[in-house]
Amino acid sequence: MRRLVGKQEARPEQGAPRKKKVRRFYDYSLLFTIIFLTVFGLIMIYSASAPKAQILYDGDAAYFMKRQAAIAFGGFVLMLIISKINYHFFARFAFFSYGLSYILMIAVSLFGKRVNGKRRWLGVGSLSFQPTEFVKIALILVLSVVITQMGRKVNSWRNILYVGGLAAPLALLVTANNLSSGIIICGIVFVMLFVATKRKLVFAACMGGAGFLLAFAGPIGAALEAVGILQEYQLSRINVWLNPEAYAQEGGFQVLQGLYAIGSGGLMGKGLGESIQKMGFVPEAQNDMIFSIICEELGLFGAVSVILIFLFMIYRFMLIASNAPDLFGALIVVGVMGHIAIQVILNIAVVTNTIPNTGITLPFISYGGTSVLFLMMEMGMVLSVSNQIKLEK
């Protein structure tokens, strides 16, 4: 019988077989979620701002939407570029960006543009940005590097305090001009340390302390104002939150109109573009209070849908973090997840008057070029981590 020799038997004589290319994961579900939220945000910005834009910009109803779209498109391209860079590359700039954050925050305190009595913007003319958004990314990077270098030693109280001490001066600088961003920065540190350490009791105590402050905010705020720690306008925000009807002329107007918008939307809303409260009743409806316009136009169904989309985004973050190649990548994703989750919770809580008004935007949806640009950069880093995950066969 004649023996047949196949091609596979002859190959070893010709040389070693080629190594198969490693297949890597890329989270397209997260990418499509980002695209959806951004496009939905542009639609809602147009709906919420069209009446104001027509009056202020010679009938150009799409003025705010076009500005946001241009920056969002540039941020999207930047996000795709960052997502294809190995995230370990960013560790080289962690401490440089940390030092630059101090320079920017000191600069904005001395030379920043005054908006509503606060210096929050740096730049010339229409080209300006909020340094606090850069600080958030810088802090996520530097804490990820520091905690990774510590390894298991991060569980010691000394190192926990050291990590908190790295963030504390920046948080104080930010809080001096922007309370909401200061809260978010503290929240990012809280979430990253909670995930990285085994000591959970101290975090439970912090949550209990926050609940105590909210429960007794009135008398605590009055006492702090009496000794000069709180400013009069900050105490006014607490009073407005506790009883907006009694302080309708001192700041409760926006809160009440936002609640009217939410209540009038009902189950399915009045229809896209049919909001009444955006006609000057809710000030700056395209910014912090855009969730109230969503509730009015799309109803409870639209509001719950938006919340579910953000929950899906958080789920994708958790999935990427749990499968990240190393601790550094996981911490980057956890830091970004903490940022997004805290900002969404605080914005919705402010709009529904669950907490005092602190001026927090809704990620990807509220109008704000600086916010969407730096959010896209953060998303790029998360997608970069996902792109380094190796797929098993």
Side-chain angles (χ1 to χ4, degrees):
M1 183 182 291
R2 190 166 54 182
R3 185 168 176 249
L4 297 177
V5 179
K7 292 182 180 179
Q8 290 183 351
E9 292 183 50
R11 277 180 185 171
E13 298 176 3
Q14 299 172 1
R18 293 181 180 178
K19 290 184 178 180
K20 293 184 179 180
K21 189 176 180 180
V22 176
R23 294 178 62 233
R24 297 186 183 277
F25 177 68
Y26 193 92
D27 200 330
Y28 288 101
S29 296
L30 177 60
L31 179 63
F32 293 141
T33 303
I34 295 166
I35 294 171
F36 177 84
L37 284 173
T38 304
V39 173
F40 176 74
L42 293 174
I43 294 170
M44 290 310 306
I45 286 171
Y46 176 75
S47 176
S49 67
K52 178 181 178 180
Q54 282 183 313
I55 296 171
L56 296 179
Y57 300 101
D58 300 323
D60 186 2
Y63 175 82
F64 291 104
M65 187 268 286
K66 289 189 291 187
R67 281 177 61 90
Q68 184 83 346
I71 298 174
F73 178 77
F76 185 78
V77 173
L78 184 60
M79 177 190 73
L80 293 180
I81 294 171
I82 292 173
S83 72
K84 292 300 180 180
I85 300 172
N86 190 316
Y87 64 89
H88 294 97
F89 175 76
F90 306 126
R92 303 178 185 179
F93 305 97
F95 290 97
F96 171 78
S97 61
Y98 177 72
L100 183 59
S101 296
Y102 281 98
I103 296 173
L104 290 174
M105 289 311 305
I106 293 171
V108 78
S109 298
L110 297 176
F111 313 111
K113 296 180 181 179
R114 283 192 177 274
V115 178
N116 297 326
K118 292 291 182 180
R119 296 185 186 272
R120 297 180 180 178
W121 298 83
L122 274 180
V124 179
S126 60
L127 298 175
S128 57
F129 77 105
Q130 285 185 299
T132 52
E133 299 300 328
F134 175 81
V135 171
K136 294 169 188 174
I137 295 183
L139 203 57
I140 290 171
L141 276 177
V142 77
L143 293 185
S144 298
V145 170
V146 170
I147 293 172
T148 301
Q149 290 174 345
M150 288 179 177
R152 295 181 182 275
K153 294 179 181 178
V154 75
N155 292 308
S156 71
W157 288 113
R158 180 181 178 182
N159 286 327
I160 290 174
L161 292 174
Y162 175 74
V163 173
L166 276 176
L170 270 177
L172 290 173
L173 279 173
V174 171
T175 304
N177 275 329
N178 194 334
L179 177 61
S180 58
S181 292
I183 294 172
I184 292 171
I185 286 172
C186 292
I188 290 171
V189 180
F190 181 92
V191 171
M192 293 181 72
L193 277 174
F194 178 81
V195 172
T197 67
K198 294 181 179 179
R199 298 182 182 273
K200 308 299 183 185
L201 187 59
V202 64
F203 299 100
C206 289
M207 292 295 292
F212 177 82
L213 286 175
L214 282 176
F216 299 96
I220 292 173
L224 292 177
E225 194 267 342
V227 297
I229 296 177
L230 280 185
Q231 301 295 323
E232 185 178 350
Y233 78 92
Q234 293 171 324
L235 179 61
S236 175
R237 285 186 178 184
I238 296 175
N239 292 330
V240 166
W241 165 58
L242 293 173
N243 193 356
E245 294 89 352
Y247 294 90
Q249 302 301 320
E250 291 83 11
F253 179 80
Q254 183 183 35
V255 174
L256 290 173
Q257 296 303 322
L259 293 175
Y260 293 154
I262 294 170
S264 63
L267 182 61
M268 300 303 294
K270 296 179 177 179
L272 189 63
E274 299 300 320
S275 168
I276 301 299
Q277 299 304 116
K278 70 184 179 185
M279 303 292 184
F281 296 102
V282 176
E284 304 293 339
Q286 73 277 8
N287 291 341
D288 307 342
M289 300 295 288
I290 198 167
F291 187 74
S292 65
I293 306 302
I294 294 173
C295 293
E296 185 180 7
E297 295 188 348
L298 304 181
L300 180 63
F301 173 80
V304 172
S305 298
V306 170
I307 293 171
L308 289 176
I309 292 167
F310 277 116
L311 286 175
F312 179 74
M313 176 178 274
I314 299 301
Y315 163 71
R316 299 311 301 182
F317 288 150
M318 294 174 65
L319 197 66
I320 295 170
S322 62
N323 291 281
D326 55 22
L327 179 61
F328 177 61
L331 286 172
I332 288 177
V333 180
V334 167
V336 175
M337 179 184 71
H339 175 199
I340 301 296
I342 293 166
Q343 196 157 329
V344 170
I345 292 169
L346 291 181
N347 177 269
I348 295 175
V350 165
V351 172
T352 56
N353 201 37
T354 307
I355 63 172
N357 193 335
T358 55
I360 293 178
T361 57
L362 188 61
F364 301 103
I365 297 177
S366 294
Y367 176 74
T370 304
S371 176
V372 74
L373 178 62
F374 283 95
L375 279 173
M376 289 294 185
M377 292 172 66
E378 290 184 24
M379 294 302 107
M381 291 194 298
V382 172
L383 289 171
S384 173
V385 176
S386 79
N387 199 35
Q388 296 302 313
I389 298 173
K390 295 178 182 179
L391 293 173
E392 294 182 359
K393 299 188 82 177

